[in-house]
Amino acid sequence: MNIKDLLTKDFLEKEDILQLLAAEGDEYEQLLKRASEVKLSVLDNKVHLRGLIELSNICRKSCLYCGVRSGNDRVERYSLTDDEVLECARLAHQLGYGSVAIQSGERSDREFTDRITRLVSKIKKIDGGSLGITLSLGEQSEEVYRQWFDAGAHRYLLRIESSTEALYYKIHPHDERHDFHKRLACIDTLLDIGYQTGTGVMVGLPFQTLDHLADDLLFFRSKDVAMVGMGPYIPHPDTPLYTFANQIPAPEERMRLTLKMIAILRLMMPEINMVAATANETVDPMGREKAIQAGANVIMPNLTPNAYREDYLIYPDKACVNDKPEQCRSCLDLRMKAIGHEVLYNAWGDSVAFTKKKA
Ligand code: SAH
């Protein structure tokens, strides 16, 4: 189909998505431009922030791509204290971030899950519940997800990593701790409970094809999720998947593919929240700006105390590891202004798609 018709089509089918994923040159530029127009018309030029708190790198999983996987004994394991977490949340509030996102290696023992419940309740007490709370703490039981929701968390991020079972098992061990169907079921549970549910994938993985990526986009639409995070895969030398690092597209290509994924999804789901992942910046210094220009509308500035950041290297060469939170705030503000966007402070920045669905 002619690119102009494709870009204004109401409902993209898989063959359309495949054509757009293969777009090059002028067609690629047109795709990005169209996605940007759609975003600006539906969501304006506003960028929402989530202050990221990397709670702990202790993890029971062994995902083959992840630098903090259990089994990587080169990592010094840490866990923030309750006071440190609450201090980060207060800082988020002071900086006007409006929301925090707590992310961690996966643990599902009671001590951990109860601690999260307590922390969420305490964060909810800051200034009369003014901070929004996103959790990204992996797969948990329905009971635990409910407990955290009842305590006040209202958004949950759980990337599916791949919607294709065969690819999922190429990048995870095939055992009871890494179960594709369980991860899928968690997404359904989160949606049922009423979380603004986010998911996503890495782009440019070994063995990943355009067909897989098209299926990922169709999966996001079929689940009608409220948020999506997609970023380039970055090979970590201390992980098993690094063996295949020579088989993946070059950084520029992974960046372009990520931008295409963001742009196509913006056409498919105009009102969702989409994160400009920090990983974009590892492959391109302007990566986050480019993601925002291609249709993303959320940024997650890091609030983790600097002393711990080097230990939460899920991938190497992570951006902003040495920045102080205050610097980060003014830097992001300027960077967004430079591309005609405006950071929205003191707001939860809920997904418009979700808010409308609920009404
Ligand atoms: N334990 C949580 C958080 C995982 S880290 C969970 O299971 O959801 C958050 C995301 O970082 C992962 O979902 C994955 O998509 C991404 N990630 C991990 N390793 C990466 C790598 N080497 N390159 C790029 N992204 C990576």
Side-chain angles (χ1 to χ4, degrees):
M1 191 186 278
N2 158 319
I3 185 86
K4 288 233 153 45
D5 294 338
L6 205 50
L7 293 177
T8 49
K9 207 174 163 200
D10 276 344
F11 191 85
L12 295 175
E13 304 289 349
K14 182 162 176 185
E15 64 196 48
D16 305 324
I17 296 170
L18 282 168
Q19 189 182 334
L20 290 172
L21 282 171
E24 293 297 336
D26 182 49
E27 295 199 340
Y28 168 75
E29 298 299 334
Q30 286 191 52
L31 163 63
L32 265 48
K33 184 160 167 274
R34 177 71 190 145
S36 171
E37 284 164 10
V38 168
K39 185 190 78 173
L40 293 174
S41 72
V42 179
L43 303 176
D44 204 357
N45 67 343
K46 303 291 181 284
V47 174
H48 304 302
L49 301 182
R50 317 277 181 245
L52 177 65
I53 306 172
E54 294 157 336
L55 178 89
S56 169
N57 62 1
I58 300 171
C59 192
R60 64 189 200 100
K61 292 227 174 164
S62 311
C63 306
L64 302 177
Y65 45 83
C66 183
V68 307
R69 67 195 299 273
S70 67
N72 179 8
D73 47 22
R74 294 193 151 186
V75 179
E76 187 154 348
R77 303 287 164 175
Y78 75 89
S79 194
L80 300 187
T81 63
D82 285 9
D83 281 348
E84 284 170 327
V85 174
L86 293 170
E87 200 42 52
C88 288
R90 278 192 284 269
L91 183 59
H93 182 54
Q94 264 167 33
L95 293 171
Y97 284 0
S99 282
V100 288
I102 305 180
Q103 192 176 84
S104 175
E106 191 172 298
R107 272 180 65 181
S108 51
D109 52 284
R110 189 77 193 263
E111 185 189 338
F112 178 80
T113 60
D114 282 350
R115 179 170 175 233
I116 299 294
T117 311
R118 236 177 22 243
L119 281 169
V120 169
S121 315
K122 284 190 180 160
I123 293 173
K124 272 288 144 198
K125 296 214 168 75
I126 298 174
D127 194 25
S130 65
L131 281 172
I133 304 181
T134 306
L135 298 180
S136 179
L137 305 169
E139 293 163 37
Q140 305 288 343
S141 66
E142 176 171 352
E143 187 195 349
V144 166
Y145 283 148
R146 270 191 202 284
Q147 199 177 309
W148 293 345
F149 187 77
D150 292 342
H154 66 135
R155 292 191 278 247
Y156 204 99
L157 288 176
L158 185 77
R159 286 192 181 177
I160 191 77
E161 316 298 359
S162 173
S163 61
T164 302
E165 185 169 0
L167 179 58
Y168 185 88
Y169 287 123
K170 288 212 181 265
I171 61 171
H172 298 93
H174 200 154
D175 60 23
E176 69 289 347
R177 287 201 179 175
H178 306 81
D179 182 330
F180 175 72
H181 293 284
K182 175 150 186 265
R183 202 157 180 95
L184 273 181
C186 283
I187 304 273
D188 290 333
T189 306
L190 291 164
L191 286 164
D192 280 350
I193 293 174
Y195 278 101
Q196 275 179 61
T197 303
T199 187
V201 293
M202 287 170 282
V203 180
L205 286 162
F207 319 111
Q208 191 181 46
T209 63
L210 294 189
D211 203 72
H212 293 139
L213 290 170
D215 284 339
D216 292 335
L217 296 177
L218 292 167
F219 171 79
F220 304 150
R221 185 170 66 189
S222 73
K223 292 290 169 191
D224 198 14
V225 292
M227 321 182 284
V228 170
M230 296 182 282
Y233 161 62
I234 297 159
H236 192 303
D238 301 328
T239 61
L241 210 61
Y242 195 76
T243 324
F244 305 100
N246 58 354
Q247 295 179 24
I248 61 167
E252 310 81 70
E253 188 45 34
R254 271 178 281 146
M255 182 78 225
R256 277 157 49 82
L257 207 46
T258 303
L259 296 178
K260 286 185 202 174
M261 288 288 282
I262 292 174
I264 299 168
L265 191 62
R266 182 53 76 200
L267 301 181
M268 294 168 69
M269 304 182 80
E271 295 177 328
I272 61 168
N273 276 347
M274 245 194 287
V275 187
T278 311
N280 286 303
E281 212 154 298
T282 301
V283 292
D284 182 332
M286 291 288 281
R288 274 193 286 189
E289 279 94 333
K290 288 182 181 172
I292 293 288
Q293 286 174 304
N297 68 323
V298 175
I299 287 190
M300 297 171 69
N302 201 338
L303 288 176
T304 312
N306 290 77
Y308 299 107
R309 290 193 197 179
E310 290 282 0
D311 294 319
Y312 198 82
L313 292 186
I314 47 184
Y315 52 84
D317 303 320
K318 219 163 123 201
C320 312
V321 166
N322 297 314
D323 293 6
K324 294 263 173 282
E326 297 75 10
Q327 290 170 325
C328 200
R329 182 189 198 270
S330 54
C331 165
L332 279 178
D333 199 85
L334 282 172
R335 289 173 62 171
M336 289 304 113
K337 282 206 178 98
I339 55 165
H341 279 71
E342 191 193 326
V343 171
L344 201 66
Y345 292 103
N346 302 307
W348 283 12
D350 282 340
S351 143
V352 172
F354 180 84
T355 312
K356 279 198 183 160
K357 194 160 75 168
K358 227 174 133 189

